[in-house]
Amino acid sequence: MRTVNRLHVSERAAGAHRSLNRTAVAYPEDSSIPAVFQERAARHPERIAVIHRERSVAFGALDQMSTAIAARLRDAGVAPGQVVGVCVARSPELIAGLLAVLTCGAAYLPFSAQWPDGRLRDLFGRADCSVVLTDRTASTAARLPGFRVVAVGEEGGASGVARATGSDGASVPDGVPAVGDARAAPVRRTPVPPEAIAYINFTSGSNGQPKGVLVEHRAVLRLVSGAVYAELDESCRLLHMAPVTFDAATFEIWGRCCTAVPVCCFPRTFQDSPSSSASWSTTR
């Protein structure tokens, strides 16, 4: 017998305790989310990465999508260490957009279009965020004057980006490439250290002022690597149902990053229809 914190336990019980808490697993602790994803995309370019309604997007195509969006973000002035607000519906474009932000070495701050203007101004001000990536450029630009609003898709025209505006809302002068202009140089692969911030989530603020939680790339990779709480193999599908503003979405989105497991983006319109939800889930 021996004493542990004033509790008397047998060697057998102490051994069982050590065994149950032996949870260390190897993971890419010196890497980053985009680096791991790009390695998976290079290894399995034709494997399905995202499923949304009737669309299936392969890893290679998703990598190309994120690279194109990253180029537009760089044109908007996004640099390593900056924060980019993201408001995109659950879709392949959302995941490509998040990857694009991380590829630039920046961190994403997910937000909801339903949040009041005052909350958005407060959170963006505290996070020093002046660029947003969205699938609703017109309404977002109207709500956030002075921000660089980048379209995640093609709603902004051939370049896929809404016209850039200055801090006073004026158009960029002629002769200056707009955000996402085709003349922009190809995107560069920015080395991202594992301790860099991947994203920022703010608490609801129900007990006072919302608090920002900074999550590193290393922490996300640790969460999804060698998971003992879920079997992630080629036969699995990961359901992305949580709002991206909720931390549960971290596993749902990035769980495929290290495993090449497809993500099924749950259509928002199905959430209020149990029959449609059941039918969609069984076919996926």
Side-chain angles (χ1 to χ4, degrees), residues 222-238:
R222 174 61 189 90
L223 171 70
V224 302
S225 299
V228 297
Y229 48 84
E231 293 186 9
L232 300 179
D233 54 34
E234 295 183 6
S235 66
C236 293
R237 298 290 185 271
L238 275 176

Side-chain angles (χ1 to χ4, degrees), residues 104-209:
C104 292
Y108 61 87
L109 195 173
F111 68 97
S112 170
Q114 279 68 52
W115 290 355
D117 291 354
R119 176 179 170 85
L120 293 181
R121 286 192 296 269
D122 174 58
L123 300 189
F124 290 153
R126 293 165 59 191
D128 194 21
C129 172
S130 60
V131 179
V132 296
L133 180 68
T134 183
D135 55 3
R136 52 184 81 195
T137 55
S139 59
T140 302
R143 295 181 65 188
L144 301 171
F147 278 63
R148 303 296 295 270
V149 179
V150 181
V152 73
E154 298 181 353
E155 60 176 297
S159 67
V161 181
R163 183 68 174 174
T165 58
S167 60
D168 58 355
S171 297
V172 173
D174 292 338
V176 177
V179 178
D181 193 290
R183 291 172 285 171
V187 69
R188 301 181 303 277
R189 299 290 193 187
T190 301
V192 181
E195 66 274 11
I197 302 303
Y199 68 91
I200 303 174
N201 264 359
F202 276 88
T203 61
S204 65
S206 57
N207 294 322
Q209 188 179 50

